Amino acid sequence: MVAFSSILLALGSTAAVLATPLKLITERSTPQGTGTNNGFFYSFWTDGQGSVTYNNEDAGKYSVSWNNVGNFVVGKGWNPGGAKVVNYNGTWNAANVNSYVSLYGWTKDPLIEYYIVESYGSYNPSSGTTKKGTVTSDGGTYDIYQTTRTNQPSIIGTSTFQQFWSVRQVKRVGGTVTTQNHFDAWAKAGQKLGTHDYMILATEGYHSSGSASIQVAGP
Ligand SMILES: *[C@@H]1O[C@H](CO)[C@@H](O)[C@H](O)[C@H]1NC(C)=O
């Protein structure tokens, strides 16, 4: 009897030992890449410099912390993206370093990387560009810009492509983003999107350290 309960005890503690590291591994970071989690598309991209810990959480929620990175972009949303009324909220601990919170996506044919920037930190992404107009949407005014990326990472590999920007004049983290208002304003400014690929409520960091916890919802 003593021997038997020792075996049970040994089995029980083996299970506990196994369960603990597995849980730790899943909590450490979602692997880099794209996929589906709890009904939402997600993307985790990093250039590999420094460390980024990204975790998919319940429904449209994710968390990320980063340390001395080069560049990374993470978030949850939809694939394909397009005309959606996106609601989101959360916290972003990177207001004084180089980081963005944005509704971020890509189109193909033409290849376009676009940002509806809700908040930026120490660097305004429109620095050095020419404003092409403004769009008022969801209680705020956004400045419209276009920039060219030459031989940069993209969803189809290293390419040269255009970036379209709406940058909210009054920063916020949380609210509604009606994407079609931006797409229409960009088209009026001569900035035509292609066929929608993914669209996420993204946290991006560039040569910085910080953390964020964001939850996205939408139809
Ligand atoms: C978003 O708001 C809901 C409702 O108040 C809250 O439960 C949730 O934790 C918030 N999400 C984040 C990421 O802060």
PDB file of all heavy atoms in Angstrom, residues 83-88 103 116-118 135-142 166 168-183 201:
ATOM      1  N   ALA A  83     -13.590  47.465 -45.396  1.00  0.00           N
ATOM      2  CA  ALA A  83     -14.494  48.449 -44.775  1.00  0.00           C
ATOM      3  C   ALA A  83     -15.061  47.857 -43.498  1.00  0.00           C
ATOM      4  O   ALA A  83     -15.930  46.982 -43.555  1.00  0.00           O
ATOM      5  CB  ALA A  83     -15.602  48.801 -45.749  1.00  0.00           C
ATOM      6  N   LYS A  84     -14.543  48.284 -42.371  1.00  0.00           N
ATOM      7  CA  LYS A  84     -15.050  47.809 -41.078  1.00  0.00           C
ATOM      8  C   LYS A  84     -15.107  48.970 -40.097  1.00  0.00           C
ATOM      9  O   LYS A  84     -14.349  49.934 -40.212  1.00  0.00           O
ATOM     10  CB  LYS A  84     -14.119  46.737 -40.490  1.00  0.00           C
ATOM     11  CG  LYS A  84     -14.257  45.378 -41.149  1.00  0.00           C
ATOM     12  CD  LYS A  84     -13.421  44.331 -40.439  1.00  0.00           C
ATOM     13  CE  LYS A  84     -13.273  43.084 -41.273  1.00  0.00           C
ATOM     14  NZ  LYS A  84     -14.551  42.403 -41.533  1.00  0.00           N
ATOM     15  N   VAL A  85     -16.037  48.840 -39.149  1.00  0.00           N
ATOM     16  CA  VAL A  85     -16.082  49.771 -38.023  1.00  0.00           C
ATOM     17  C   VAL A  85     -15.394  49.041 -36.868  1.00  0.00           C
ATOM     18  O   VAL A  85     -15.944  48.105 -36.297  1.00  0.00           O
ATOM     19  CB  VAL A  85     -17.533  50.157 -37.675  1.00  0.00           C
ATOM     20  CG1 VAL A  85     -17.558  51.086 -36.471  1.00  0.00           C
ATOM     21  CG2 VAL A  85     -18.193  50.822 -38.882  1.00  0.00           C
ATOM     22  N   VAL A  86     -14.176  49.435 -36.605  1.00  0.00           N
ATOM     23  CA  VAL A  86     -13.326  48.720 -35.646  1.00  0.00           C
ATOM     24  C   VAL A  86     -13.381  49.433 -34.295  1.00  0.00           C
ATOM     25  O   VAL A  86     -13.147  50.642 -34.217  1.00  0.00           O
ATOM     26  CB  VAL A  86     -11.865  48.680 -36.157  1.00  0.00           C
ATOM     27  CG1 VAL A  86     -10.952  48.030 -35.128  1.00  0.00           C
ATOM     28  CG2 VAL A  86     -11.784  47.964 -37.501  1.00  0.00           C
ATOM     29  N   ASN A  87     -13.705  48.690 -33.267  1.00  0.00           N
ATOM     30  CA  ASN A  87     -13.645  49.235 -31.903  1.00  0.00           C
ATOM     31  C   ASN A  87     -12.478  48.598 -31.178  1.00  0.00           C
ATOM     32  O   ASN A  87     -12.231  47.403 -31.337  1.00  0.00           O
ATOM     33  CB  ASN A  87     -14.941  48.931 -31.149  1.00  0.00           C
ATOM     34  CG  ASN A  87     -16.101  49.703 -31.726  1.00  0.00           C
ATOM     35  OD1 ASN A  87     -16.092  50.927 -31.746  1.00  0.00           O
ATOM     36  ND2 ASN A  87     -17.086  48.987 -32.247  1.00  0.00           N
ATOM     37  N   TYR A  88     -11.769  49.395 -30.400  1.00  0.00           N
ATOM     38  CA  TYR A  88     -10.634  48.828 -29.655  1.00  0.00           C
ATOM     39  C   TYR A  88     -10.415  49.623 -28.373  1.00  0.00           C
ATOM     40  O   TYR A  88     -10.885  50.757 -28.233  1.00  0.00           O
ATOM     41  CB  TYR A  88      -9.369  48.836 -30.527  1.00  0.00           C
ATOM     42  CG  TYR A  88      -8.711  50.184 -30.609  1.00  0.00           C
ATOM     43  CD1 TYR A  88      -7.602  50.485 -29.825  1.00  0.00           C
ATOM     44  CD2 TYR A  88      -9.229  51.186 -31.422  1.00  0.00           C
ATOM     45  CE1 TYR A  88      -7.010  51.740 -29.865  1.00  0.00           C
ATOM     46  CE2 TYR A  88      -8.654  52.440 -31.468  1.00  0.00           C
ATOM     47  CZ  TYR A  88      -7.542  52.710 -30.688  1.00  0.00           C
ATOM     48  OH  TYR A  88      -6.979  53.957 -30.707  1.00  0.00           O
ATOM     49  N   LEU A 103      -4.398  51.266 -36.745  1.00  0.00           N
ATOM     50  CA  LEU A 103      -5.111  50.280 -37.539  1.00  0.00           C
ATOM     51  C   LEU A 103      -4.235  50.133 -38.784  1.00  0.00           C
ATOM     52  O   LEU A 103      -4.045  51.109 -39.525  1.00  0.00           O
ATOM     53  CB  LEU A 103      -6.515  50.803 -37.871  1.00  0.00           C
ATOM     54  CG  LEU A 103      -7.599  49.822 -38.309  1.00  0.00           C
ATOM     55  CD1 LEU A 103      -7.414  49.379 -39.736  1.00  0.00           C
ATOM     56  CD2 LEU A 103      -7.665  48.585 -37.417  1.00  0.00           C
ATOM     57  N   ILE A 116      -3.538  53.789 -40.051  1.00  0.00           N
ATOM     58  CA  ILE A 116      -4.388  54.813 -39.445  1.00  0.00           C
ATOM     59  C   ILE A 116      -3.858  54.933 -38.016  1.00  0.00           C
ATOM     60  O   ILE A 116      -4.140  54.093 -37.159  1.00  0.00           O
ATOM     61  CB  ILE A 116      -5.877  54.407 -39.487  1.00  0.00           C
ATOM     62  CG1 ILE A 116      -6.317  54.189 -40.937  1.00  0.00           C
ATOM     63  CG2 ILE A 116      -6.739  55.464 -38.787  1.00  0.00           C
ATOM     64  CD1 ILE A 116      -7.668  53.487 -41.100  1.00  0.00           C
ATOM     65  N   VAL A 117      -3.001  55.940 -37.806  1.00  0.00           N
ATOM     66  CA  VAL A 117      -2.251  56.035 -36.547  1.00  0.00           C
ATOM     67  C   VAL A 117      -3.108  56.714 -35.488  1.00  0.00           C
ATOM     68  O   VAL A 117      -3.540  57.859 -35.658  1.00  0.00           O
ATOM     69  CB  VAL A 117      -0.936  56.821 -36.751  1.00  0.00           C
ATOM     70  CG1 VAL A 117      -0.180  56.944 -35.426  1.00  0.00           C
ATOM     71  CG2 VAL A 117      -0.063  56.138 -37.795  1.00  0.00           C
ATOM     72  N   GLU A 118      -3.344  56.017 -34.408  1.00  0.00           N
ATOM     73  CA  GLU A 118      -4.129  56.553 -33.304  1.00  0.00           C
ATOM     74  C   GLU A 118      -3.229  57.245 -32.286  1.00  0.00           C
ATOM     75  O   GLU A 118      -3.611  58.242 -31.702  1.00  0.00           O
ATOM     76  CB  GLU A 118      -4.904  55.401 -32.651  1.00  0.00           C
ATOM     77  CG  GLU A 118      -5.973  54.807 -33.566  1.00  0.00           C
ATOM     78  CD  GLU A 118      -7.231  55.677 -33.584  1.00  0.00           C
ATOM     79  OE1 GLU A 118      -7.974  55.677 -32.587  1.00  0.00           O
ATOM     80  OE2 GLU A 118      -7.443  56.355 -34.613  1.00  0.00           O
ATOM     81  N   VAL A 135      -8.652  64.136 -42.941  1.00  0.00           N
ATOM     82  CA  VAL A 135      -9.941  63.450 -42.908  1.00  0.00           C
ATOM     83  C   VAL A 135     -10.453  63.501 -41.473  1.00  0.00           C
ATOM     84  O   VAL A 135      -9.684  63.284 -40.539  1.00  0.00           O
ATOM     85  CB  VAL A 135      -9.852  62.000 -43.443  1.00  0.00           C
ATOM     86  CG1 VAL A 135      -8.787  61.173 -42.744  1.00  0.00           C
ATOM     87  CG2 VAL A 135     -11.201  61.302 -43.351  1.00  0.00           C
ATOM     88  N   THR A 136     -11.741  63.838 -41.346  1.00  0.00           N
ATOM     89  CA  THR A 136     -12.359  63.855 -40.027  1.00  0.00           C
ATOM     90  C   THR A 136     -13.201  62.597 -39.895  1.00  0.00           C
ATOM     91  O   THR A 136     -14.036  62.299 -40.756  1.00  0.00           O
ATOM     92  CB  THR A 136     -13.217  65.126 -39.853  1.00  0.00           C
ATOM     93  OG1 THR A 136     -12.340  66.244 -39.974  1.00  0.00           O
ATOM     94  CG2 THR A 136     -13.889  65.164 -38.494  1.00  0.00           C
ATOM     95  N   SER A 137     -12.935  61.846 -38.849  1.00  0.00           N
ATOM     96  CA  SER A 137     -13.632  60.577 -38.660  1.00  0.00           C
ATOM     97  C   SER A 137     -13.600  60.183 -37.191  1.00  0.00           C
ATOM     98  O   SER A 137     -12.572  60.369 -36.527  1.00  0.00           O
ATOM     99  CB  SER A 137     -12.938  59.492 -39.496  1.00  0.00           C
ATOM    100  OG  SER A 137     -13.626  58.256 -39.395  1.00  0.00           O
ATOM    101  N   ASP A 138     -14.717  59.664 -36.706  1.00  0.00           N
ATOM    102  CA  ASP A 138     -14.753  59.081 -35.363  1.00  0.00           C
ATOM    103  C   ASP A 138     -14.265  60.065 -34.292  1.00  0.00           C
ATOM    104  O   ASP A 138     -13.520  59.699 -33.381  1.00  0.00           O
ATOM    105  CB  ASP A 138     -13.924  57.790 -35.329  1.00  0.00           C
ATOM    106  CG  ASP A 138     -14.344  56.819 -36.431  1.00  0.00           C
ATOM    107  OD1 ASP A 138     -15.520  56.434 -36.457  1.00  0.00           O
ATOM    108  OD2 ASP A 138     -13.499  56.486 -37.292  1.00  0.00           O
ATOM    109  N   GLY A 139     -14.688  61.326 -34.441  1.00  0.00           N
ATOM    110  CA  GLY A 139     -14.404  62.323 -33.409  1.00  0.00           C
ATOM    111  C   GLY A 139     -13.020  62.930 -33.461  1.00  0.00           C
ATOM    112  O   GLY A 139     -12.614  63.609 -32.507  1.00  0.00           O
ATOM    113  N   GLY A 140     -12.301  62.727 -34.560  1.00  0.00           N
ATOM    114  CA  GLY A 140     -10.964  63.316 -34.644  1.00  0.00           C
ATOM    115  C   GLY A 140     -10.606  63.685 -36.062  1.00  0.00           C
ATOM    116  O   GLY A 140     -11.288  63.292 -37.017  1.00  0.00           O
ATOM    117  N   THR A 141      -9.555  64.487 -36.182  1.00  0.00           N
ATOM    118  CA  THR A 141      -9.043  64.848 -37.501  1.00  0.00           C
ATOM    119  C   THR A 141      -7.682  64.173 -37.681  1.00  0.00           C
ATOM    120  O   THR A 141      -6.856  64.162 -36.762  1.00  0.00           O
ATOM    121  CB  THR A 141      -8.899  66.373 -37.633  1.00  0.00           C
ATOM    122  OG1 THR A 141     -10.189  66.947 -37.406  1.00  0.00           O
ATOM    123  CG2 THR A 141      -8.407  66.768 -39.017  1.00  0.00           C
ATOM    124  N   TYR A 142      -7.511  63.609 -38.867  1.00  0.00           N
ATOM    125  CA  TYR A 142      -6.279  62.885 -39.179  1.00  0.00           C
ATOM    126  C   TYR A 142      -5.603  63.555 -40.366  1.00  0.00           C
ATOM    127  O   TYR A 142      -6.271  63.946 -41.326  1.00  0.00           O
ATOM    128  CB  TYR A 142      -6.606  61.440 -39.574  1.00  0.00           C
ATOM    129  CG  TYR A 142      -7.233  60.571 -38.498  1.00  0.00           C
ATOM    130  CD1 TYR A 142      -8.557  60.759 -38.087  1.00  0.00           C
ATOM    131  CD2 TYR A 142      -6.513  59.529 -37.923  1.00  0.00           C
ATOM    132  CE1 TYR A 142      -9.137  59.937 -37.123  1.00  0.00           C
ATOM    133  CE2 TYR A 142      -7.080  58.697 -36.962  1.00  0.00           C
ATOM    134  CZ  TYR A 142      -8.392  58.909 -36.569  1.00  0.00           C
ATOM    135  OH  TYR A 142      -8.951  58.084 -35.630  1.00  0.00           O
ATOM    136  N   SER A 166      -2.883  57.908 -42.275  1.00  0.00           N
ATOM    137  CA  SER A 166      -3.726  58.893 -41.605  1.00  0.00           C
ATOM    138  C   SER A 166      -3.179  58.970 -40.190  1.00  0.00           C
ATOM    139  O   SER A 166      -3.052  57.940 -39.531  1.00  0.00           O
ATOM    140  CB  SER A 166      -5.190  58.435 -41.526  1.00  0.00           C
ATOM    141  OG  SER A 166      -5.874  58.611 -42.742  1.00  0.00           O
ATOM    142  N   ARG A 168      -3.694  60.661 -36.521  1.00  0.00           N
ATOM    143  CA  ARG A 168      -4.644  61.408 -35.692  1.00  0.00           C
ATOM    144  C   ARG A 168      -3.944  62.578 -35.004  1.00  0.00           C
ATOM    145  O   ARG A 168      -2.893  62.402 -34.388  1.00  0.00           O
ATOM    146  CB  ARG A 168      -5.265  60.480 -34.637  1.00  0.00           C
ATOM    147  CG  ARG A 168      -6.592  60.969 -34.099  1.00  0.00           C
ATOM    148  CD  ARG A 168      -7.239  59.887 -33.205  1.00  0.00           C
ATOM    149  NE  ARG A 168      -8.654  60.149 -32.984  1.00  0.00           N
ATOM    150  CZ  ARG A 168      -9.136  60.985 -32.084  1.00  0.00           C
ATOM    151  NH1 ARG A 168      -8.309  61.661 -31.308  1.00  0.00           N
ATOM    152  NH2 ARG A 168     -10.440  61.158 -31.965  1.00  0.00           N
ATOM    153  N   GLN A 169      -4.529  63.787 -35.157  1.00  0.00           N
ATOM    154  CA  GLN A 169      -3.899  64.979 -34.596  1.00  0.00           C
ATOM    155  C   GLN A 169      -3.881  64.934 -33.073  1.00  0.00           C
ATOM    156  O   GLN A 169      -2.934  65.393 -32.446  1.00  0.00           O
ATOM    157  CB  GLN A 169      -4.633  66.235 -35.083  1.00  0.00           C
ATOM    158  CG  GLN A 169      -4.415  66.493 -36.575  1.00  0.00           C
ATOM    159  CD  GLN A 169      -5.206  67.685 -37.087  1.00  0.00           C
ATOM    160  OE1 GLN A 169      -6.053  68.240 -36.380  1.00  0.00           O
ATOM    161  NE2 GLN A 169      -4.958  68.067 -38.334  1.00  0.00           N
ATOM    162  N   VAL A 170      -4.965  64.409 -32.480  1.00  0.00           N
ATOM    163  CA  VAL A 170      -5.013  64.258 -31.016  1.00  0.00           C
ATOM    164  C   VAL A 170      -4.919  62.762 -30.724  1.00  0.00           C
ATOM    165  O   VAL A 170      -5.825  61.999 -31.061  1.00  0.00           O
ATOM    166  CB  VAL A 170      -6.312  64.863 -30.440  1.00  0.00           C
ATOM    167  CG1 VAL A 170      -6.374  64.647 -28.928  1.00  0.00           C
ATOM    168  CG2 VAL A 170      -6.401  66.344 -30.784  1.00  0.00           C
ATOM    169  N   LYS A 171      -3.809  62.385 -30.124  1.00  0.00           N
ATOM    170  CA  LYS A 171      -3.552  60.955 -29.910  1.00  0.00           C
ATOM    171  C   LYS A 171      -4.547  60.347 -28.932  1.00  0.00           C
ATOM    172  O   LYS A 171      -5.018  61.029 -28.015  1.00  0.00           O
ATOM    173  CB  LYS A 171      -2.145  60.768 -29.335  1.00  0.00           C
ATOM    174  CG  LYS A 171      -1.030  61.294 -30.209  1.00  0.00           C
ATOM    175  CD  LYS A 171       0.285  61.241 -29.446  1.00  0.00           C
ATOM    176  CE  LYS A 171       1.379  62.007 -30.161  1.00  0.00           C
ATOM    177  NZ  LYS A 171       2.630  62.018 -29.371  1.00  0.00           N
ATOM    178  N   ARG A 172      -4.819  59.075 -29.117  1.00  0.00           N
ATOM    179  CA  ARG A 172      -5.665  58.349 -28.173  1.00  0.00           C
ATOM    180  C   ARG A 172      -5.348  56.854 -28.270  1.00  0.00           C
ATOM    181  O   ARG A 172      -4.775  56.405 -29.268  1.00  0.00           O
ATOM    182  CB  ARG A 172      -7.149  58.577 -28.469  1.00  0.00           C
ATOM    183  CG  ARG A 172      -7.567  58.002 -29.805  1.00  0.00           C
ATOM    184  CD  ARG A 172      -9.055  58.090 -30.073  1.00  0.00           C
ATOM    185  NE  ARG A 172      -9.350  57.460 -31.365  1.00  0.00           N
ATOM    186  CZ  ARG A 172     -10.575  57.305 -31.850  1.00  0.00           C
ATOM    187  NH1 ARG A 172     -11.627  57.763 -31.182  1.00  0.00           N
ATOM    188  NH2 ARG A 172     -10.764  56.711 -33.021  1.00  0.00           N
ATOM    189  N   VAL A 173      -5.713  56.117 -27.235  1.00  0.00           N
ATOM    190  CA  VAL A 173      -5.667  54.654 -27.287  1.00  0.00           C
ATOM    191  C   VAL A 173      -7.040  54.171 -26.853  1.00  0.00           C
ATOM    192  O   VAL A 173      -7.369  54.211 -25.663  1.00  0.00           O
ATOM    193  CB  VAL A 173      -4.568  54.069 -26.372  1.00  0.00           C
ATOM    194  CG1 VAL A 173      -4.582  52.545 -26.428  1.00  0.00           C
ATOM    195  CG2 VAL A 173      -3.190  54.602 -26.780  1.00  0.00           C
ATOM    196  N   GLY A 174      -7.853  53.813 -27.821  1.00  0.00           N
ATOM    197  CA  GLY A 174      -9.209  53.357 -27.549  1.00  0.00           C
ATOM    198  C   GLY A 174     -10.225  54.188 -28.290  1.00  0.00           C
ATOM    199  O   GLY A 174     -10.139  55.420 -28.308  1.00  0.00           O
ATOM    200  N   GLY A 175     -11.181  53.521 -28.942  1.00  0.00           N
ATOM    201  CA  GLY A 175     -12.211  54.232 -29.687  1.00  0.00           C
ATOM    202  C   GLY A 175     -12.649  53.415 -30.887  1.00  0.00           C
ATOM    203  O   GLY A 175     -12.481  52.193 -30.934  1.00  0.00           O
ATOM    204  N   THR A 176     -13.201  54.150 -31.854  1.00  0.00           N
ATOM    205  CA  THR A 176     -13.728  53.533 -33.071  1.00  0.00           C
ATOM    206  C   THR A 176     -12.922  54.020 -34.263  1.00  0.00           C
ATOM    207  O   THR A 176     -12.575  55.205 -34.330  1.00  0.00           O
ATOM    208  CB  THR A 176     -15.212  53.930 -33.245  1.00  0.00           C
ATOM    209  OG1 THR A 176     -15.929  53.483 -32.099  1.00  0.00           O
ATOM    210  CG2 THR A 176     -15.825  53.327 -34.498  1.00  0.00           C
ATOM    211  N   VAL A 177     -12.631  53.130 -35.176  1.00  0.00           N
ATOM    212  CA  VAL A 177     -11.971  53.511 -36.432  1.00  0.00           C
ATOM    213  C   VAL A 177     -12.849  53.011 -37.582  1.00  0.00           C
ATOM    214  O   VAL A 177     -12.990  51.808 -37.793  1.00  0.00           O
ATOM    215  CB  VAL A 177     -10.559  52.908 -36.547  1.00  0.00           C
ATOM    216  CG1 VAL A 177      -9.916  53.315 -37.872  1.00  0.00           C
ATOM    217  CG2 VAL A 177      -9.675  53.336 -35.377  1.00  0.00           C
ATOM    218  N   THR A 178     -13.457  53.956 -38.298  1.00  0.00           N
ATOM    219  CA  THR A 178     -14.280  53.617 -39.466  1.00  0.00           C
ATOM    220  C   THR A 178     -13.356  53.639 -40.673  1.00  0.00           C
ATOM    221  O   THR A 178     -13.048  54.706 -41.219  1.00  0.00           O
ATOM    222  CB  THR A 178     -15.448  54.614 -39.597  1.00  0.00           C
ATOM    223  OG1 THR A 178     -16.175  54.624 -38.361  1.00  0.00           O
ATOM    224  CG2 THR A 178     -16.382  54.236 -40.740  1.00  0.00           C
ATOM    225  N   THR A 179     -12.901  52.482 -41.084  1.00  0.00           N
ATOM    226  CA  THR A 179     -11.811  52.432 -42.068  1.00  0.00           C
ATOM    227  C   THR A 179     -12.191  53.064 -43.399  1.00  0.00           C
ATOM    228  O   THR A 179     -11.370  53.713 -44.040  1.00  0.00           O
ATOM    229  CB  THR A 179     -11.342  50.984 -42.299  1.00  0.00           C
ATOM    230  OG1 THR A 179     -12.438  50.215 -42.810  1.00  0.00           O
ATOM    231  CG2 THR A 179     -10.820  50.360 -41.021  1.00  0.00           C
ATOM    232  N   GLN A 180     -13.465  52.885 -43.818  1.00  0.00           N
ATOM    233  CA  GLN A 180     -13.855  53.372 -45.143  1.00  0.00           C
ATOM    234  C   GLN A 180     -13.686  54.890 -45.267  1.00  0.00           C
ATOM    235  O   GLN A 180     -13.380  55.390 -46.361  1.00  0.00           O
ATOM    236  CB  GLN A 180     -15.295  52.969 -45.468  1.00  0.00           C
ATOM    237  CG  GLN A 180     -15.679  53.175 -46.928  1.00  0.00           C
ATOM    238  CD  GLN A 180     -14.876  52.293 -47.894  1.00  0.00           C
ATOM    239  OE1 GLN A 180     -14.703  51.093 -47.647  1.00  0.00           O
ATOM    240  NE2 GLN A 180     -14.352  52.874 -48.967  1.00  0.00           N
ATOM    241  N   ASN A 181     -13.868  55.619 -44.164  1.00  0.00           N
ATOM    242  CA  ASN A 181     -13.673  57.074 -44.212  1.00  0.00           C
ATOM    243  C   ASN A 181     -12.242  57.414 -44.640  1.00  0.00           C
ATOM    244  O   ASN A 181     -12.006  58.358 -45.392  1.00  0.00           O
ATOM    245  CB  ASN A 181     -13.956  57.700 -42.845  1.00  0.00           C
ATOM    246  CG  ASN A 181     -15.425  57.602 -42.458  1.00  0.00           C
ATOM    247  OD1 ASN A 181     -16.274  57.373 -43.321  1.00  0.00           O
ATOM    248  ND2 ASN A 181     -15.726  57.768 -41.186  1.00  0.00           N
ATOM    249  N   HIS A 182     -11.286  56.647 -44.137  1.00  0.00           N
ATOM    250  CA  HIS A 182      -9.883  56.873 -44.494  1.00  0.00           C
ATOM    251  C   HIS A 182      -9.612  56.429 -45.928  1.00  0.00           C
ATOM    252  O   HIS A 182      -8.956  57.146 -46.690  1.00  0.00           O
ATOM    253  CB  HIS A 182      -8.981  56.135 -43.501  1.00  0.00           C
ATOM    254  CG  HIS A 182      -9.134  56.652 -42.108  1.00  0.00           C
ATOM    255  ND1 HIS A 182      -8.390  57.696 -41.609  1.00  0.00           N
ATOM    256  CD2 HIS A 182     -10.009  56.308 -41.125  1.00  0.00           C
ATOM    257  CE1 HIS A 182      -8.783  57.955 -40.370  1.00  0.00           C
ATOM    258  NE2 HIS A 182      -9.770  57.132 -40.056  1.00  0.00           N
ATOM    259  N   PHE A 183     -10.156  55.264 -46.294  1.00  0.00           N
ATOM    260  CA  PHE A 183      -9.929  54.766 -47.656  1.00  0.00           C
ATOM    261  C   PHE A 183     -10.476  55.776 -48.676  1.00  0.00           C
ATOM    262  O   PHE A 183      -9.834  56.047 -49.703  1.00  0.00           O
ATOM    263  CB  PHE A 183     -10.604  53.402 -47.860  1.00  0.00           C
ATOM    264  CG  PHE A 183     -10.124  52.306 -46.925  1.00  0.00           C
ATOM    265  CD1 PHE A 183     -10.906  51.170 -46.719  1.00  0.00           C
ATOM    266  CD2 PHE A 183      -8.904  52.394 -46.266  1.00  0.00           C
ATOM    267  CE1 PHE A 183     -10.470  50.153 -45.879  1.00  0.00           C
ATOM    268  CE2 PHE A 183      -8.460  51.382 -45.412  1.00  0.00           C
ATOM    269  CZ  PHE A 183      -9.258  50.247 -45.224  1.00  0.00           C
ATOM    270  N   LEU A 201      -5.214  45.720 -35.563  1.00  0.00           N
ATOM    271  CA  LEU A 201      -5.018  46.844 -34.645  1.00  0.00           C
ATOM    272  C   LEU A 201      -3.629  46.622 -34.061  1.00  0.00           C
ATOM    273  O   LEU A 201      -3.446  45.787 -33.168  1.00  0.00           O
ATOM    274  CB  LEU A 201      -6.116  46.853 -33.573  1.00  0.00           C
ATOM    275  CG  LEU A 201      -6.400  48.196 -32.920  1.00  0.00           C
ATOM    276  CD1 LEU A 201      -5.182  48.773 -32.229  1.00  0.00           C
ATOM    277  CD2 LEU A 201      -6.927  49.205 -33.945  1.00  0.00           C
TER     278      LEU A 201
END
